[in-house]
Amino acid sequence: MSVQGVGQVNQIAGSANTSNNSADILVSTQPVNTAAPTAPGPNWQEANAGMAGVTLHDNQLRIEINKGAAGNSFQNIGQGQVLQFTRIQGNNMAVENSLQIQIGVRPDLSTQQQLAMQSYHSMLTGMR
């Protein structure tokens, strides 16, 4: 799949399945919040190292959980694209694919560094 900007896709087969993609992008001159993510829900399952990973895929950062025949869920970030994708091929599954990007812009940087940061900010603003 190829999109310019932000894309969220759910492909669901089977019965009694739910899937939710959510993305938050925050650009701020304030310090970036580094708080830990919230705790998982009561029925979550941990993915072992063979099922989850971070890779470089088509020159994009990919974070993926692959549950084999049951389906997979990933996020691609790069080349002007943020893509969230979930595929469910079983029954009675619930998937939450969440992404939060926080970008802190520092006003104390040199002019050249500020121009680069403004360029990134413009790119992300256009993806909203």
Side-chain angles (χ1 to χ4, degrees), residues 10-124:
N10 290 303
Q11 292 181 339
I12 302 174
S15 60
N17 293 316
T18 61
S19 179
N20 183 34
N21 290 328
S22 62
D24 291 322
I25 300 173
L26 172 66
V27 179
S28 174
T29 58
Q30 303 302 314
V32 174
N33 180 6
T34 58
T38 58
N43 296 319
W44 72 283
Q45 291 182 354
E46 184 174 331
N48 64 37
M51 294 179 183
V54 177
T55 60
L56 190 61
H57 179 78
D58 293 335
N59 292 321
Q60 297 178 334
L61 178 66
R62 175 177 277 192
I63 303 167
E64 180 173 19
I65 295 177
N66 190 332
K67 296 292 275 183
N72 67 323
S73 187
F74 65 81
Q75 301 169 350
N76 281 357
I77 303 170
Q79 297 183 334
Q81 178 186 89
V82 175
L83 173 64
Q84 292 179 290
F85 180 89
T86 299
R87 177 182 293 128
I88 300 174
Q89 302 173 148
N91 297 317
N92 299 313
M93 294 187 186
V95 176
E96 175 72 32
N97 190 355
S98 298
L99 170 69
Q100 183 180 48
I101 299 173
Q102 295 182 358
I103 300 172
V105 179
R106 293 181 32 198
D108 60 334
L109 298 178
S110 71
T111 303
Q112 185 174 5
Q113 290 169 318
Q114 284 184 28
L115 289 173
M117 294 303 284
Q118 288 171 357
S119 171
Y120 293 132
H121 178 267
S122 296
M123 177 188 72
L124 289 171

